[in-house]
Amino acid sequence: MEGKAVKAILFDLDNTLIETSRAGGVAIQKCSELLKTTLALDDNTVSSICDKFKQKLLHESFDPSAGRSIDEVRVGHWEESIQEAVGNCSTPSLGAQCYYLWKNSRLDALRLSPEICNLLRQLRSRYKLVLLTNGEAQVQREKIKAVGCEEFFDAVVVAGEHAEQKPFVSIFTLCFSMLELEAQDCIVVGDSLDTDIQGGFNARLRATVWVSSAGGAVPEGSVKPDFTILTVLDLPDILQQLK
């Protein structure tokens, strides 16, 4: 690919730099054990409750102006999931217990590996680095604090604190402004074709790099990344090609 030299890298957080899905699995397992112990439920019913919670999380629509915190909304997800599976719960506080166990267990399981820390240190000596993450502001800030990653970046942008999130161009334009760079000076690295890669395409970045841990092909109809890697640790090879 011909073009300007890369001056900055925009990194996604979840399932790019940290294994959020794996941490979520650890947290769900702990909640499963709590539900079994508290309600003496069979495995199928426990799995149903946890699956319902995950679906509510996946389709969550949070409005901070509605007067409920994200914690209250997610306690409600657990309460509704329990009620839908077993009816009225004999332990009214169980929804809250499940939520805070899930939340804290997930945060405890999140790690920025030593290898990725070393990579970020090396890259920052040659490029400007931005952490650009979608998601509700409190939730993402808690993850960032838990993994202690701010020190590796020139800027941290939590899209939930702004009017639009990835893949909208405005959140990328904000990053360019903060860096005092242009779109063609930057590449984006992330695991989501719909947000990271589509957003990079929309904003006309120098290149888009898709982190696909499964190594799968790009689905039909999806935006095509310029590069695909199995792990963010493979990024130096891509940067070498972009020189």
Side-chain angles (χ1 to χ4, degrees):
M1 292 178 64
E2 298 295 330
K4 299 172 66 173
V6 175
K7 296 179 182 177
I9 306 169
L10 280 55
F11 281 99
D12 176 50
L13 178 64
D14 294 301
N15 301 310
T16 297
L17 295 177
I18 58 174
E19 296 181 7
T20 310
S21 294
R22 183 195 64 80
V26 170
I28 285 290
Q29 182 57 41
K30 290 185 179 294
C31 291
S32 296
E33 293 164 4
L34 174 63
L35 287 165
K36 281 184 192 178
T37 303
T38 306
L39 298 179
L41 298 173
D42 61 84
D43 289 345
N44 287 340
T45 305
V46 169
S47 293
S48 175
I49 293 170
C50 292
D51 287 344
K52 288 176 185 294
F53 169 75
K54 289 187 286 186
Q55 283 300 308
K56 293 179 192 298
L57 204 63
L58 183 64
H59 298 291
E60 182 176 80
S61 179
F62 176 67
D63 179 4
S65 67
R68 297 177 73 200
S69 70
I70 190 66
D71 290 327
E72 290 169 330
V73 168
R74 291 184 172 180
V75 167
H77 292 342
W78 277 109
E79 291 174 341
E80 291 165 11
S81 298
I82 293 168
Q83 186 171 25
E84 288 167 10
V86 300
N88 289 329
C89 179
S90 58
T91 308
S93 64
L94 186 57
Q97 291 177 50
C98 284
Y99 169 64
Y100 285 103
L101 177 61
W102 172 83
K103 172 182 174 174
N104 293 326
S105 298
R106 186 171 75 148
L107 288 173
D108 287 344
L110 292 174
R111 295 284 184 276
L112 201 61
S113 73
E115 294 81 8
I116 289 179
C117 290
N118 288 336
L119 172 67
L120 293 173
R121 288 191 190 97
Q122 292 168 12
L123 292 176
R124 200 174 179 192
S125 68
R126 301 192 295 275
Y127 307 95
K128 290 187 176 181
L129 304 185
V130 177
L131 184 64
L132 173 57
T133 176
N134 273 7
E136 195 278 329
Q138 175 190 320
V139 172
Q140 296 309 102
R141 288 291 176 184
E142 287 172 344
K143 290 176 191 171
I144 291 165
K145 181 179 179 181
V147 301
C149 62
E150 282 192 272
E151 65 177 286
F152 299 107
F153 296 96
D154 297 276
V156 173
V157 178
V158 176
E161 297 172 348
H162 302 277
E164 294 179 321
Q165 304 196 33
K166 298 178 287 185
F168 287 97
V169 172
S170 64
I171 197 69
F172 287 90
T173 302
L174 173 66
C175 294
F176 307 151
S177 177
M178 294 171 75
L179 296 172
E180 299 183 335
L181 294 174
E182 299 176 1
Q184 280 292 301
D185 296 320
C186 307
I187 68 170
V188 64
V189 182
D191 72 301
S192 172
L193 291 170
D194 292 337
T195 59
D196 304 309
I197 306 308
Q198 185 65 58
F201 177 81
N202 293 347
R204 300 182 181 277
L205 268 66
R206 170 77 173 83
T208 56
V209 183
W210 182 39
V211 181
S212 175
S213 59
V218 177
E220 189 70 30
S222 289
V223 64
K224 292 185 178 180
D226 295 308
F227 301 96
T228 300
I229 54 179
L230 292 174
T231 164
V232 74
L233 296 174
D234 295 333
L235 184 59
D237 292 337
I238 303 303
L239 291 167
Q240 189 66 33
Q241 295 178 52
L242 288 169
K243 284 186 176 179

